[in-house]
Amino acid sequence: MKRTEYCGLIRSCHIGTEQICSGWVITKRDMGGIIFLDLRDREGVLQVVVDTAKVSADQFGLAEKIRMQSVICVKGKIRERSHDTVNAKIETGTVELVAEEIELLSMADKLPYSVDDGDTVREDLRLRYRYLDIRRSQMVNNLRMRHLIQKAAQDYLDNKGFIYVETPILCKSTPEGARDYLVPSRVHQGSFYALPQSPQIYKQLLMVGGIDKYYQVARCFRDEDLRADRQPEFTQVDMEMSFVEQEDIWEHLENLFKHIYKCCKGEDIGYDFPRITWAEAMDKYGSDKPDIRFDLPIVDLTDIARDCSFSVFRKVCDGGGVVRAINAKGCAGFSRTEIEKLTKNAISYGAKGMAWIAYREDGEIYSILTKYFDEEEMKNLLSAMDAMPGDFILFCADKLDIVRKTLGNLRLDIADMLGLRDKNKYAFLFVTDFPQFEYSEEEKRWVSTHHPFTMPYPEDVQYLLTEPGRVRAQAYDVVLNGIELGSGSIRIHRQDVQKIMFEALGFSDEEIEERFGFMVNAFRYGTPPHGGFAFGLDRFVMLMVGADSIRDVIAFPKIKDASCPMTDAPQPVDAEQLHVLGLDSPIRGSGTEPALKSKTKYDTDVEAIATLARLSFSSQEMSGLEEEMNRIIEFADKLSTVDTTGIDAEEHIVPMKNVFREDIVESEFTAEELLKAAGAKHDGYIVVPRTFEEGKGE
């Protein structure tokens, strides 16, 4: 045995016992005849004392040579620390291991950065050396919490009679939603598998098969743009139930999340999860995933604004738009800088500006709006906003979707300014009754808000083909602290409803057969009413540990461009691998063009660029220029991988005049006329003297 107990679990009860502890050396203090080593493993840190009186000269010499983060095994006895050396900051601070034997298991090279300084090291560097980053106690705790949450969920589902069933990773591509990751088939060349975006189809087929309570900790894959809470591959806890209605699933989910929270936090959630419809969430909070840790509701003032003297508000109302506002209680003292920042944010969210009222403590109403509202109108407005002296009210007037987006985001901005988004406070809720469809401007058709197997409310089925925008889905989300934990719905089990649904989505019979034929066929043989839910394990863990990014709770995450800094994946593959898969034929164009190209090689047509710029270069200069331009492009590619989530964009706008003036060319100059004042000319170019010699100067 290389270990009798973890370093971080040694306590006073071990005093006098002989122990073998192994781990990484994180600090070393050489006091002459005594060396103190801090030895760390996943459970914590233990002080090791190497005393010349207790070990041989060779062993002491070994301790002197050990570098930081080397792996050692130490055998010795546990003793109590002297009173003046107790370290109250660590769990093992009252004891220490007196070394009798030391074995060097692995000497560490010089580190690219100090592991203990990981919190201040650039993330790209930490991710390149992720195996070092994982040694940090914070990362260990994050991964431990992930384990506990997953285990608590599985224990609960096991005890409720759910059966764990694995579904395929290599499946059929059914493009509807995010892009699929495709896997080429060697046996069926020219054909592809898709990695599953979710086990949706398979879990519904399990219901057809009679597995009436299924769950799985499933790996899912989506080829989409990344952000702080999104990865190309992620994990969800997936479940499905037969013979249930929405109420059954909501009760089940609330109990599940309360159980997980109790197991992982040691506390009870002492409230019932609120339930609000999608329309209520959008109108009151401007978001379908509202953060209800704080209030700041959005109030509709359209009826009041419709008849006011402020032409901006009135025109919006006449055009079918809305006027809404937020009352930031006690914020009348916002500085000019803070107000300007909020205004700038409003414009970035799509608004044309931001009107506001500062209701001063002395009762003064400070706002441009006082010019356009008479005393009675202003009184009605303040009453509608429940405004009191000391409050700050901000407005948005525009189309409904723009107002929702703008005020929904400003609500979060204000909460951040006031420190209202406490990471140690957890506010769960259900959002229900999502729209069945949303209109895609890109595809010019209605698409499923969730997926094409979501059951509409029975009373709304009649509108599937005639008024799809008013159809409500029996779909629901669980939201925590403004983050969507997961989604679910009651599924369509009736063939007639599914047929109308496909028709409403514009699928032809051929498309239905090609994409979902096997599923439609299965539903012909007796399908029970069923519904389910899946929540993102990664997101849930991120919230539970208070991390700012989902990458902090995944052992080996991808970065913004879906690449892995540690392994440099994805990478080009060799020609033989492509040949076996039948992918060695050109993908673009024709001829001998390779199917895949290295990410660091670029087709830079320097001659064309030089011609456009009217510059002349020698062949040697052309070669050097091509190399330099490739380096610039490669550097720009690297810049594009930097995650700028949460960083405000900086703007530099140069004032311009006459930007709409039409330029009229009175007469065109010939090349000779343009070059007549040049001191030296060659082949239609201006020749300029070299300003410096290569190799001279900096």
Side-chain angles (χ1 to χ4, degrees), residues 371-667:
K371 297 180 181 180
Y372 306 101
F373 284 75
D374 61 30
E375 185 175 346
E376 186 64 23
E377 288 173 337
M378 182 61 71
K379 181 179 178 181
N380 292 338
L381 187 152
L382 295 176
S383 175
M385 294 303 303
D386 190 28
M388 302 293 289
D391 293 348
F392 181 84
I393 304 169
L394 50 90
F395 301 81
C396 184
D398 214 309
K399 296 178 182 178
L400 177 60
D401 57 341
I402 293 177
V403 171
R404 282 172 167 172
K405 178 182 178 182
T406 300
L407 291 182
N409 282 299
L410 288 177
R411 178 176 177 269
L412 300 179
D413 293 338
I414 295 169
D416 287 335
M417 292 166 66
L418 301 179
L420 301 178
R421 303 177 78 181
D422 184 356
K423 288 185 177 181
N424 296 312
K425 183 178 180 181
Y426 298 90
F428 290 86
L429 78 153
F430 288 106
V431 177
T432 69
D433 298 9
F434 278 79
Q436 185 79 44
F437 306 101
E438 56 189 11
Y439 191 76
S440 170
E441 290 293 343
E442 181 180 345
E443 300 183 42
K444 301 301 180 184
R445 69 177 181 93
W446 292 96
V447 297
S448 301
T449 300
H450 284 76
H451 54 69
F453 310 110
T454 301
M455 177 70 85
Y457 277 90
E459 59 269 31
D460 289 351
V461 171
Q462 60 184 313
Y463 304 116
L464 282 172
L465 299 179
T466 57
E467 298 180 72
R470 68 177 292 179
V471 179
R472 297 165 302 143
Q474 294 188 59
Y476 36 83
D477 284 359
V478 173
V479 176
L480 173 60
N481 293 1
I483 301 291
E484 174 202 324
L485 283 187
S487 298
S489 68
I490 298 297
R491 324 301 189 187
I492 298 173
H493 69 282
R494 289 171 43 189
Q495 293 182 59
D496 58 333
V497 176
Q498 188 66 73
K499 185 175 185 302
I500 300 173
M501 180 64 68
F502 284 144
E503 186 178 350
L505 291 168
F507 291 163
S508 66
D509 291 341
E510 292 76 15
E511 287 176 317
I512 295 170
E513 179 60 32
E514 180 183 353
R515 296 186 182 191
F516 312 110
F518 63 96
M519 189 172 185
V520 173
N521 188 56
F523 278 24
R524 294 168 50 207
Y525 300 109
T527 305
H530 59 285
F533 183 82
F535 72 85
L537 181 62
D538 315 290
R539 289 185 181 181
F540 193 19
V541 178
M542 178 183 73
L543 291 169
M544 293 291 275
V545 301
D548 294 321
S549 168
I550 201 171
R551 293 184 294 275
D552 291 334
V553 299
I554 298 174
F556 301 103
K558 304 293 188 295
I559 59 175
K560 189 176 181 180
D561 66 348
S563 66
C564 173
M566 185 181 71
T567 64
D568 286 331
Q571 284 274 311
V573 298
D574 61 53
E576 178 59 28
Q577 289 176 282
L578 295 177
H579 177 70
V580 169
L581 294 169
L583 294 177
D584 49 352
S585 299
I587 291 179
R588 299 179 301 275
S590 58
T592 59
E593 178 177 34
L596 295 177
K597 294 191 176 184
S598 169
K599 295 189 297 181
T600 58
K601 299 296 182 183
Y602 305 93
D603 293 323
T604 307
D605 191 341
V606 181
E607 288 190 23
I609 295 173
T611 300
L612 289 171
R614 304 298 291 170
L615 296 172
S616 178
F617 298 100
S618 68
S619 59
Q620 183 178 359
E621 288 173 327
M622 291 286 258
S623 176
L625 182 60
E626 180 177 3
E627 183 179 341
E628 183 62 27
M629 292 193 71
N630 283 339
R631 280 200 295 266
I632 293 171
I633 296 171
E634 184 175 0
F635 177 69
D637 278 353
K638 290 180 180 179
L639 286 179
S640 69
T641 67
V642 177
D643 187 356
T644 57
T645 303
I647 300 176
D648 292 335
E650 297 292 336
E651 295 180 355
H652 176 68
I653 302 175
V654 179
M656 299 178 67
K657 296 181 180 180
N658 298 327
V659 292
F660 298 111
R661 185 193 68 193
E662 182 180 359
D663 287 325
I664 302 174
V665 179
E666 294 183 357
S667 62

